Amino acid sequence: MATNFRNRIRSHEWKLSPEAATFAPSNKWSNKDMDPVPIHLRTWGTIDYIAYWLNDAANVATWNLASSMLAVGLSWRQALPAIAVGHFLIAIVITLNGTIGAQLHVPFPVINRSSFGFYFSYFSVISRVILAMFWFGIQTYTGGECVYQMLKAIWPGTARIPNHLPESASITTSVMMCYFLYWLLQLPFLLIPVHKIRYLFWAKSILVPICWIAMMIWALVKTGGANSAIFNQPATIRGSAAVWAWFGALNSALGNFATLAVNIPDFTRFAKSPRAQFVQLATIPVAFTFFAFIGIVVTSAGYELYGNVYLWDPLTLIDKWDNRAAAFFASFSFALATITTNIGANSISAANDLTAMAPRFINIRRGQIICAIIGGWVMCPWEILATAIGFLTFMGGYTIVLGPISAIMIIDYFIIHKKAIDVPSLYRPHARYRYTGGVNLRALAALVVAVPINLPGLISTINPKINVHGGIYPYQIAYLLGFTIAGGIYYVLSIVFPPKETLIDAPITGEDERPPSKDEEASVDEKSSPAKVDVQPGH
């Protein structure tokens, strides 16, 4: 038995054999999940992207998005426009980067090689995978809180389970039990293929908004609607302080999905056509503003009903309900919301990044399991939430890097290369996107200039005792500033020192030089699309 076990764990047992469709010279550089999406798997249409963003908008983070804005002294009338404008701006970035994925049908780690260079692209990949696994753990902890409320609604004695863990564990026995149950329930959903996960998003985009709207109606009925306290709460700051606070709120809205703005090609590469994902431009600001508004209304009701305290965490609000059935179904909606958000925004993204780092051994399914283990248990999210607030702030402030990355990708694809990308070369380490030793020095220079500008403000946010004087103000517009500076520098350097070896007259998709995969041969009939599908500029 021991011999059989040793034989099964030999490395070659876990290697992924590349299909004939791969452009890479070996499975060291690619596998089936990293290859361009075959035609028969390009199944996402407009309705799927609407459902995807309704899915991501309906989560606990959006619910209490306005909390920090009101906490710094803005009124709800000032906070909502900041949320709407911020999400409209990030929707532009997401749609532009999404267009790249929809036209080339390759994931973010591969696309990034055209602008950063084959090896320097791993900087973006590693940055993204760390963030994804970190937030996976945080979201899973939130899901555990949902399970706790569900169990307490069914069995009230759950609240009286004795704690057998020491105070240093930063978590109680009952919370750990609920965390494990949620992690376990979440696990099977990670095994659903990306091109089929859209059905789960459909379910959430119908069920969760219904529950949240019901909660808003309850809140309005209980508190008299427009006469609610929060709607009459004036701003507590004026003048330049209010202006900078508003820009800070705008930056928070931008940073809410700055990570997905970078790796949205992981999803848009499954688009039926580039136009299918254009709906993101309208869906994102409308959905996020609406759900943030629901958070304001329901939190206002909690203020009046439960002791003049703003309960921005909806699970804390639910904990005070006497109606156990309502508490169960409301908690269930937040649990479902958290699962789909965690898959859509974190685990699939981490899996794509891990696949790019070790394609010989990791595919998307294995990558999601690795993310669940590292993000869920190795990173110990309960420890971070309990004791490492500075680290939590730092990870939230990591958008100072993501803004410049998005800018460089957009400028490179639409302006420098004019959509003319050699897809097969993206998979070859010594091809045209090698630049200088695998590094595009133009992208490196843009990052070196754009990121440090925001560091003083980030440092002061992590530790307010450090006085950076006026250095705090650039951080209030960190995403916009980093995006603009990095994009501008990259454009100028690329014009002055053009990357001639990467400039081609027309896109090369490689569709005509690769044989069909086994799945394509089984599913494509006489009415299939032609073998050669070139993406032309302007489509």
Side-chain angles (χ1 to χ4, degrees), residues 298 315 337 417:
V298 179
L315 297 171
H417 286 104

Side-chain angles (χ1 to χ4, degrees), residues 300-426:
S300 170
Y303 179 88
E304 295 190 20
L305 297 173
Y306 303 115
N308 294 333
V309 176
Y310 286 121
L311 305 174
W312 288 106
D313 184 345
L315 297 171
T316 304
L317 180 70
I318 292 171
D319 188 58
K320 294 183 175 294
W321 289 0
D322 296 326
N323 189 320
R324 290 162 56 188
F328 176 85
F329 286 110
S331 299
F332 174 79
S333 76
F334 282 102
L336 177 60
T338 305
I339 284 179
T340 52
T341 298
N342 219 7
I343 294 173
N346 297 317
S347 73
I348 291 177
S349 302
N352 275 282
D353 297 335
L354 290 168
T355 300
M357 294 166 66
R360 183 179 296 176
F361 301 100
I362 302 175
N363 57 16
I364 289 180
R365 177 171 291 183
R366 292 180 183 179
Q368 291 201 77
I369 299 303
I370 293 172
C371 174
I373 294 172
I374 296 178
W377 297 104
V378 176
M379 289 190 168
C380 299
W382 54 89
E383 290 280 1
I384 295 172
L385 290 170
T387 61
I389 302 302
F391 181 68
L392 189 67
T393 304
F394 168 76
M395 295 303 285
Y398 204 77
T399 54
I400 66 174
V401 176
L402 299 178
I405 290 175
S406 292
I408 292 169
M409 291 175 65
I410 291 170
I411 296 298
D412 179 82
Y413 182 74
F414 289 99
I415 299 179
I416 305 304
H417 286 104
K418 297 179 174 61
K419 306 184 193 178
I421 297 295
D422 179 356
V423 173
S425 290
L426 293 173

Side-chain angles (χ1 to χ4, degrees), residues 229-261:
I230 205 167
F231 292 110
N232 297 316
Q233 176 184 329
T236 58
I237 52 178
R238 300 286 187 275
S240 61
V243 173
W244 281 111
W246 191 88
F247 277 112
L250 176 70
N251 193 65
S252 296
L254 282 164
N256 196 32
F257 276 92
T259 47
L260 262 178

Side-chain angles (χ1 to χ4, degrees), residues 12 76 113 139 238 241 284 296 328-329 335 375 386 431 478 508:
H12 68 80
W76 72 271
R113 293 169 181 171
Q139 288 278 1
R238 300 286 187 275
I284 293 172
I296 290 176
F328 176 85
F329 286 110
I508 301 173

